[in-house]
Amino acid sequence: MSFTQDWGPISSLAFRTDGPPIMASGSPQGHIAFWDLERRQLVTQQRHAHSTTIAAATFLHGEPLLVTNGADNAIKVWIFDQEGGGARLLRSRQGHSAPPTTICHHGNDGKNILSAGQDGTLQSFSTVHERFNKNLGHGSVSKKKEQNNKKRKGSSSLYEELRLSAITTFSSATARQSDWDSVVACHRGRLAATTWNYQRCTMGVHHLQPPNTPRSAVATAVSITSCGNFAVIGSSCGRVDVYNLQSGLHRGCYGDKEKAHDGTVRGVATDALNQLTLTAGSDWLLKFWRFKSRKQEEQLKLNVAPASMLLHRDSGMLALALDDFTLLVVDIETRRVVRKFSGHHGNINDMTFSPDGRWLVTVAMDCTIRTWDLPSGCLVDCFLVAMAPVGVSLSPTGDFLATAHVGSLGVYLWTNKSLCGLVGLRPLPADYQPAGETLPGVTAEQSEQEVTSEEVDDEYKSAEQLGAELVTLSLLPESRWKSLLHLDLIKRRNKPIVPPAAPPAAPFYLPTVPGLTPRFTLPMTTEQEGQSKVLDWGVLAQRSEVGCALEESLQSGCFDRPIRLLKDCGPAVLSVEFTNLTSQGGGASSLLLAFIKMIEHMLASGRNFDLAHAYLGLFLKLNLHSLSEDPAAMDALVRLSSRLEAGWAELQTSFNQSLCLLTYTKSAVL
């Protein structure tokens, strides 16, 4: 049989394995077609499953689940539980299909990062876990028209016409996000700004467009007030308009003749109490307006046109990035320039303040990320990255710095080392050469290198003992050593009430070699039925593997092998092994002395500290009578006792110091 797909060549194929004879085919346009192989017809189709070509599609074995991925940086799982055999999206993990251009932390907890990319989508990334990520979607000219086009399965050309261009800048607030839209965005080449609802993860209902404005004008700057009720939007024609976010109504504009600046508005901001509105334009002016009356109070003439503007509302510090790659910091209370920084050798793309307003972090096209200290007026940190950063945002908690870079799909997080320990922030010299930092990812040179088996493995291996004055535990489960002193109680509890009965007739048996270690053997073919079954004492008294290892270690002085064998034994096996060390159990006095030497070696090395005490306790409990009759073993035990007391005295001193400090901390009045 053969099928024809109207969406271009087949990019991927997959077959269901859970029963229904369904085949899925992907297309370069991002659509998926589902074919019935018995009826030889098209069952259903999933349009716009991905925004790019379906790279791969795979049905999970024995389940009605289809996993797809594409070049749009997304992986999606579809489940077939719809009427008519249709599929719906079960879960997905996706990022930007094109590099992000603007990022900003949303909220005061620093756990969510809003990101707008060249693909036209607005997404929220969580710094806690990927399951908290949100995709607010792609902007559209009319949501109703787009939904009707999807329902009617219209053409893809009309679908693309309804989509808005990429977001150039946006502003967000959390004050009233549960009541109405809390994000306002400006789009490339578009005058009307769009609103977005963060709670519902969708585009808002308002398009904020000023009246009586030329069609060639474009929205260039936006800011939402701290109360979350109003949005201030600047445009390329010099207008600065105020809108109500709840109703989307136009509430007025700044300046005479409805123009706040003679050129393009490069930045707008409002203070924390909605008393002042600040605007910066390409006419080299920074203007101060009353927010309510929209009357100009003062203006500040700049030496160079500003490129962008950022206000830290808590401290009242306003940062201006100028076209000559310099930075100005203006105090909005005194309305004077208080700091001027220079050092970048490219356009300053973005800025961010620290939560306390002491640091200003800037990124530029010279591929540097610089941190300026406002109280001292010095550069305190600077490092170089491989790709030029286009966006930066420092979390409200000050723990992470987020950056977006040219040609990169991801948002990178940098840790603030000053929160983890003492960091000396000394001013950097004027001729400081920044060190390069490698971004996570595999470069083209690294991907071409093949790893062979002959290469040396440079993985770090922890030392067995960090220091001679320390003790190290064995890391074995507590059941392997803590129950050694309670074996009698455990045996009594586990003793069966009724003795085990022999089976009436065993089909076969497996003969074993006499000894402690169970080993199977084949029956002798020449054995006669009248042969004696009495075994020699030497056969029963053969040494176990642990006993042989102890004898060898007593001569060589290295006890690693018997320790390793004992660590592999359970509590019951250890009890048998320790009992057989005496002469009554088939051992000898040399084995007792060897075992005491082994315990002394474990205590001297400081390793397996818990096992040494557990083994010694069980050994003394089982063989105390035999040890008392052996003078050499008693002398070794006396020496071992002095070493035990010295070791415990050192540990007790450390415990007492720690307990004293802890008691003082809990009881002292601070």
Side-chain angles (χ1 to χ4, degrees):
M1 66 186 73
S2 63
F3 301 99
T4 302
Q5 184 173 262
D6 297 336
W7 304 319
I10 305 295
S11 60
S12 61
L13 282 176
F15 296 87
R16 288 187 66 172
T17 59
D18 61 326
I22 300 298
M23 178 186 67
S25 62
S27 68
Q29 299 182 11
H31 310 316
I32 304 176
F34 301 99
W35 310 86
D36 192 326
L37 300 181
E38 287 186 352
R39 300 179 182 178
R40 302 189 179 187
Q41 64 182 9
L42 179 67
V43 178
T44 182
Q45 54 185 332
Q46 190 70 40
R47 288 180 173 267
H48 305 292
H50 290 267
S51 59
T52 57
T53 304
I54 305 294
T58 304
F59 279 100
L60 298 185
H61 182 70
E63 297 183 18
L65 298 176
L66 175 67
V67 183
T68 61
N69 75 307
D72 56 351
N73 195 22
I75 181 171
K76 300 182 179 181
V77 180
W78 308 85
I79 184 171
F80 292 82
D81 58 356
Q82 303 291 315
E83 296 182 0
R88 64 176 177 88
L89 182 63
L90 181 62
R91 62 178 66 92
S92 65
R93 290 286 185 269
Q94 59 184 341
H96 287 288
S97 59
T101 56
T102 306
I103 59 175
C104 180
H105 278 84
H106 181 74
N108 297 324
D109 54 1
K111 296 180 180 179
N112 299 298
I113 301 174
L114 276 175
S115 172
Q118 297 179 6
D119 55 355
T121 61
L122 182 64
Q123 301 192 27
S124 174
F125 297 99
S126 173
T127 59
V128 179
H129 198 275
E130 290 184 354
R131 66 173 178 268
F132 300 121
N133 292 354
K134 296 181 179 181
N135 187 355
L136 279 70
H138 200 293
S140 61
V141 177
S142 176
K143 293 181 63 178
K144 291 184 178 179
K145 291 182 179 180
E146 184 180 11
Q147 292 174 358
N148 294 335
N149 183 56
K150 288 183 178 181
K151 292 179 180 179
R152 298 174 183 175
K153 300 179 180 180
S155 62
S156 59
S157 60
L158 180 60
Y159 181 76
E160 293 295 334
E161 291 178 1
L162 294 176
R163 303 180 71 177
L164 293 177
S165 56
I167 296 175
T168 56
T169 181
F170 65 87
S171 178
S172 66
T174 59
R176 304 299 295 271
Q177 68 175 359
S178 59
D179 300 326
W180 49 74
D181 301 339
S182 58
V183 181
V184 179
C186 300
H187 297 262
R188 182 185 300 119
R190 182 176 172 83
L191 177 60
T194 57
T195 61
W196 301 76
N197 194 295
Y198 186 82
Q199 295 280 30
R200 297 198 301 267
C201 300
T202 181
M203 183 180 173
V205 295
H206 305 304
H207 288 261
L208 309 179
Q209 181 171 350
N212 303 324
T213 306
R215 295 184 177 180
S216 60
V218 177
T220 56
V222 61
S223 176
I224 297 180
T225 57
S226 58
C227 61
N229 293 316
F230 300 97
V232 182
I233 301 176
S235 59
S236 60
C237 62
R239 289 179 60 106
V240 178
D241 299 272
V242 183
Y243 298 88
N244 185 280
L245 286 180
Q246 181 180 8
S247 60
L249 298 178
H250 184 262
R251 294 303 186 188
C253 59
Y254 292 87
D256 298 333
K257 298 181 182 179
E258 298 183 349
K259 289 188 68 176
H261 291 270
D262 293 334
T264 302
V265 178
R266 299 288 178 84
V268 294
T270 58
D271 64 351
L273 301 177
N274 289 357
Q275 299 294 323
L276 287 177
T277 301
L278 302 100
T279 61
S282 59
D283 53 0
W284 299 17
L285 293 178
L286 172 63
K287 295 186 178 183
F288 300 83
W289 312 80
R290 298 303 298 179
F291 178 80
K292 188 174 182 180
S293 62
R294 297 186 292 277
K295 300 297 182 181
Q296 180 178 343
E297 287 190 346
E298 194 175 348
Q299 67 180 20
L300 185 64
K301 182 67 175 181
L302 305 176
N303 296 327
V304 185
S308 59
M309 184 176 72
L310 179 67
L311 174 65
H312 187 259
R313 286 172 174 165
D314 295 338
S315 63
M317 293 295 162
L318 179 71
L320 292 167
L322 306 182
D323 287 342
D324 61 349
F325 315 148
T326 60
L327 291 163
L328 296 181
V329 180
V330 179
D331 187 355
I332 64 174
E333 295 295 333
T334 60
R335 299 175 186 180
R336 297 176 58 184
V337 177
V338 294
R339 291 290 184 271
K340 183 177 180 180
F341 302 116
S342 60
H344 281 292
H345 303 286
N347 291 328
I348 300 175
N349 294 326
D350 200 3
M351 305 175 291
T352 181
F353 278 98
S354 62
D356 55 2
R358 293 179 59 90
W359 295 347
L360 177 64
V361 183
T362 58
V363 296
M365 292 302 295
D366 57 0
C367 299
T368 60
I369 301 177
R370 300 174 183 260
T371 303
W372 312 88
D373 186 68
L374 297 186
S376 62
C378 300
L379 176 68
V380 295
D381 186 36
C382 177
F383 59 92
L384 189 69
V385 291
M387 297 176 290
V390 295
V392 64
S393 178
L394 187 60
S395 65
T397 55
D399 50 356
F400 291 112
L401 179 74
T403 58
H405 299 262
V406 173
S408 177
L409 298 179
V411 176
Y412 296 87
L413 292 181
W414 306 83
T415 304
N416 187 358
K417 294 192 294 185
S418 64
L419 299 181
C420 306
L422 296 177
V423 178
L425 297 178
R426 298 180 180 179
L428 299 179
D431 56 347
Y432 176 75
Q433 296 295 329
E437 296 289 341
T438 304
L439 295 176
V442 180
T443 61
E445 297 178 356
Q446 294 175 345
S447 61
E448 295 177 358
Q449 298 177 356
E450 296 183 359
V451 180
T452 61
S453 58
E454 299 179 358
E455 295 182 0
V456 180
D457 189 6
D458 296 333
E459 292 184 2
Y460 174 77
K461 296 181 179 179
S462 178
E464 294 184 358
Q465 185 75 7
L466 298 180
E469 72 281 0
L470 303 177
V471 294
T472 305
L473 303 182
S474 62
L475 300 181
L476 289 180
E478 292 185 356
S479 60
R480 299 287 295 274
W481 58 270
K482 213 170 185 179
S483 58
L484 292 179
L485 298 178
H486 307 284
L487 284 179
D488 296 339
L489 179 61
I490 295 174
K491 290 179 179 179
R492 286 198 302 268
R493 289 179 177 177
N494 296 339
K495 185 178 180 181
I497 301 176
V498 180
F508 65 94
Y509 66 94
L510 296 176
T512 59
V513 176
L516 295 177
T517 304
R519 296 177 182 176
F520 298 104
T521 183
L522 295 176
M524 300 297 295
T525 56
T526 60
E527 185 180 4
Q528 300 179 1
E529 296 182 357
Q531 187 177 356
S532 174
K533 302 297 181 68
V534 179
L535 301 177
D536 295 334
W537 171 252
V539 178
L540 292 177
Q542 63 180 355
R543 301 281 172 82
S544 64
E545 189 175 1
V546 176
C548 297
L550 281 174
E551 285 185 342
E552 296 175 359
S553 300
L554 185 61
Q555 299 176 0
S556 63
C558 180
F559 295 90
D560 293 339
R561 184 166 177 263
I563 294 175
R564 185 172 63 254
L565 293 175
L566 290 176
K567 290 174 69 173
D568 295 336
C569 299
V573 179
L574 288 175
S575 177
V576 176
E577 292 285 356
F578 294 167
T579 303
N580 293 335
L581 294 178
T582 61
S583 57
Q584 292 82 359
S589 59
S590 60
L591 294 181
L592 298 177
L593 185 60
F595 184 85
I596 297 174
K597 292 285 187 181
M598 183 191 71
I599 298 297
E600 188 176 359
H601 171 76
M602 295 172 67
L603 295 176
S605 63
R607 300 196 298 268
N608 301 315
F609 190 76
D610 49 350
L611 291 183
H613 288 77
Y615 290 169
L616 181 60
L618 180 61
F619 175 75
L620 294 177
K621 183 178 180 180
L622 296 175
N623 306 321
L624 188 58
H625 180 70
S626 301
L627 290 171
S628 61
E629 299 176 353
D630 192 338
M634 289 301 297
D635 294 340
L637 284 176
V638 172
R639 293 193 300 269
L640 181 61
S641 177
S642 60
R643 180 176 292 276
L644 278 173
E645 293 178 358
W648 273 112
E650 295 179 2
L651 285 179
Q652 190 66 32
T653 302
S654 302
F655 290 155
N656 290 338
Q657 292 178 355
S658 302
L659 290 174
C660 180
L661 180 61
L662 181 61
T663 304
Y664 173 76
T665 306
K666 294 172 63 178
S667 60
V669 179
L670 300 179

